[in-house]
Amino acid sequence: MRSLRALRPFAHREYRVLITALAISIFGSGMWAVAMVYEVIHLGGGPLELSLVAAAGSVGLVAFVLAGGVAADRLPQRLLIIAVEGANLAVIATVSGLAMAGWLQLWHLALGAFVLGVGAAFFFPAYSAILPRILPAEDLLAANGMEGTMRPILQQAAGPAVGGILVAALSPSHAVTGVAVCHLLAFSILNFLRSQPRPEAPGTGSSKAADAVQTRAKTALLRDLREGVSYTVRTPWLLWTLLWACISVLFLIGPIEVLVPFVVRDQLGGDSRMFGFLLAVMGVGGAVASLATASFPLPRRYLSVMMVSWGAGSLPIAAVGIMDSFWALAAALFIFGATGGVGMVIWGTLLQRRVPPHLLGRVSSLDFFVSLALMPVSMALAGPAAEVLPVWLIFLVAGTVCPVMAVVAMVVARMPADELAHPLDRGDDVADATAPAEASGPGQSGPKQRGVT
């Protein structure tokens, strides 16, 4: 049964420890999303200041995500995960202490957000790398699916909802303290992880041999990177999907993350509780749609369904700037979250089934980097744009550009013809590569769902 298969990873102790800590940590991240917004507002900041703080976190993530992947391959993942969670705890506890003492300033929040972004850049590659060490290969897909379902529920729904309640009932600083408690619990639980054996590195017999191995490793790293980029560029459906992802992040993430709180305040007369509930509605939409999509066979027109879901789901965002009804705004965000969830499930499946196994890791990493590359730009531009343009125009452009570009991507990449030429509904693992695939470990699903909230 599907439900029993999805729960099989919980039979392993190390996974139970890891997923419990991850759940608490991302719940705290969801609370931080609301607490940070209202801490900025409490300090007298507006859209520009909030944009700068949010962009600082994105800059930290994007700037260090490639370094995080290298560290995950070279350092013990267990120690890396624990160290990152400890750093998160130190940052949030410091912000909480400064806020409680009345000493907190905007630059403190920006610096804290940057460090948290750097931590995320190191955490998730290490998390993905440690899973094959603690789970058998047949349970990895279920583990990835569990994270994909858990993240919108906790980070986009429950966390923001609780954060909004704490801000409204007490203060933003009390909500930040709640985030610190979450990271303390996660850090404590992660220390119960056992050390995992690592394979011996070749060529450690002498310093000369080690130097030669390092030189070959650098050359191989550049060659492998070129191979992954070359495969992506010459694969139209993959290239144009990533281009669409870049455009959607640029036009959508900044307005949703930075400007929706002010839409709630200025157009709906709402407070932090309403904003947190709206984020929760969007997260629930993503979780429900992800579970529903995963329960049915892959559509025969899988590329078309994916792009239409993402494109059409962006259309309601075009009207956010003129909405004066809470329920209309909630419906728009629910549709956006649900259609995003449908696309994510299909996208992750396509990476696993159409990308050759020996290229899957590099293509997934490139997907992560490309999808997030313009996030700090979007965050940084949203606030200044709101200073010179009406908010309704910003949302109108965001909600119309993305559907248009989805159609362009489908046409230029000839996706309808491509999906018929590479049918997946019979369970065939069809790869686009011209060379035979090498044996490798199972791949992880696309990480866009970690980057786009």
Side-chain angles (χ1 to χ4, degrees), residues 8-356:
R8 283 196 314 200
F10 287 94
H12 304 273
R13 175 196 178 273
E14 299 304 296
Y15 177 78
R16 293 196 300 270
V17 173
L18 183 62
I19 200 66
T20 300
L22 179 64
I24 296 172
S25 181
I26 66 175
F27 175 78
S29 297
M31 291 178 61
W32 170 255
V34 174
M36 180 268 290
V37 167
Y38 287 94
E39 194 66 75
V40 170
I41 295 175
H42 177 72
L43 294 175
L48 179 60
E49 289 76 14
L50 179 56
S51 181
L52 292 174
V53 173
S58 299
V59 168
L61 175 61
V62 173
F64 285 87
V65 66
L66 296 180
V70 173
D73 287 337
R74 295 175 180 262
L75 301 175
Q77 291 98 14
R78 171 184 173 273
L79 296 181
L80 194 57
I81 289 172
I82 293 174
V84 169
E85 195 59 38
N88 292 343
L89 171 60
V91 168
I92 297 297
T94 300
V95 171
S96 173
L98 291 172
M100 288 293 188
W103 299 336
L104 187 66
Q105 298 180 31
L106 284 172
W107 73 268
H108 294 142
L109 283 173
L111 179 60
F114 176 81
V115 176
L116 291 176
V118 174
F122 282 86
F123 183 92
F124 288 109
Y127 169 81
S128 297
I130 202 174
L131 278 182
R133 296 184 178 278
I134 65 177
L135 288 175
E138 61 269 18
D139 290 345
L140 287 174
L141 185 60
N144 291 326
M146 182 60 61
E147 184 204 348
T149 302
M150 180 180 69
R151 184 169 298 279
I153 293 175
L154 295 179
Q155 189 169 3
Q156 297 178 358
V162 172
I165 291 172
L166 286 176
V167 170
L170 298 172
S171 70
S173 59
H174 284 85
V176 175
T177 302
V179 178
V181 171
C182 290
H183 285 294
L184 175 61
L185 289 174
F187 177 74
S188 302
I189 292 170
L190 284 173
N191 279 276
F192 288 98
L193 278 174
R194 299 189 183 114
S195 299
Q196 303 299 316
R198 296 181 61 84
E200 292 293 329
T204 55
S206 69
S207 60
K208 259 189 191 178
D211 290 341
V213 166
Q214 283 186 347
T215 301
R216 290 195 300 270
K218 290 178 182 178
T219 304
L221 180 62
L222 293 175
R223 185 185 65 244
D224 290 349
L225 182 59
R226 285 196 299 267
E227 186 181 7
V229 172
S230 175
Y231 173 81
T232 300
V233 170
R234 71 173 187 266
T235 308
W237 71 268
L238 183 57
L239 173 64
W240 279 92
T241 302
L242 291 181
L243 290 176
W244 182 90
C246 283
I247 292 171
S248 68
V249 167
L250 177 63
F251 281 90
L252 289 173
I253 296 304
I256 291 175
E257 294 283 347
V258 175
L259 300 182
V260 167
F262 297 97
V263 169
V264 170
R265 186 190 68 183
D266 300 335
Q267 296 175 202
L268 305 183
D271 58 8
S272 61
R273 286 172 292 190
M274 182 179 292
F275 174 59
F277 187 77
L278 287 170
L279 291 183
V281 168
M282 185 170 67
V284 169
V288 170
S290 296
L291 285 174
T293 305
S295 301
F296 293 93
L298 189 69
R300 184 166 178 260
R301 293 280 191 174
Y302 50 85
L303 289 171
S304 298
V305 171
M306 179 180 72
M307 296 307 299
V308 169
S309 295
W310 280 336
S314 303
L315 279 173
I317 302 301
V320 166
I322 60 173
M323 289 179 177
D324 57 4
S325 166
F326 167 79
W327 294 109
L329 184 54
L333 293 179
F334 181 87
I335 293 171
F336 180 72
T339 53
V342 172
M344 280 299 101
V345 172
I346 297 175
W347 173 251
T349 304
L350 295 186
L351 285 183
Q352 292 180 332
R353 296 184 64 179
R354 290 199 59 180
V355 176

